[in-house]
Amino acid sequence: MEHDIVDTDVARRSARMYVPLSLGAGLAFYLAATFVGGNGLVARLGGATWVTLLSFIVSMPIVTSRVKTRARK
């Protein structure tokens, strides 16, 4: 039972870290494409969505493993 509580805490703490990180990467892409590139709205939104999803895929296991390692200490 205690193990489930620790896993839930690790999942919540890591989500509080990788969700803003991924959304921030998508927002940064959107802003860069808006101010630097001459792309249309659909291209900017599609690119920002793609960057956000890839950031979720990459950052989720990295952040979760680091939070889990720190929780064990």
Side-chain angles (χ1 to χ4, degrees):
M1 186 72 173
E2 183 179 319
H3 186 40
D4 293 335
I5 294 170
V6 172
D7 285 344
T8 303
D9 185 49
V10 166
R12 285 185 181 153
R13 275 203 261 155
S14 61
R16 279 188 236 132
M17 296 170 87
Y18 66 74
V19 169
L21 179 71
S22 298
L23 292 175
L27 179 64
F29 178 88
Y30 181 80
L31 292 175
T34 299
F35 294 120
V36 175
N39 301 318
L41 179 64
V42 175
R44 289 189 309 240
L45 289 175
T49 302
W50 184 248
V51 167
T52 301
L53 290 174
L54 287 178
S55 296
F56 270 120
I57 292 169
V58 171
S59 66
M60 190 181 302
I62 295 170
V63 170
T64 303
S65 68
R66 288 192 181 191
V67 170
K68 191 180 290 187
T69 302
R70 289 184 183 171
R72 288 181 186 161
K73 290 182 181 179

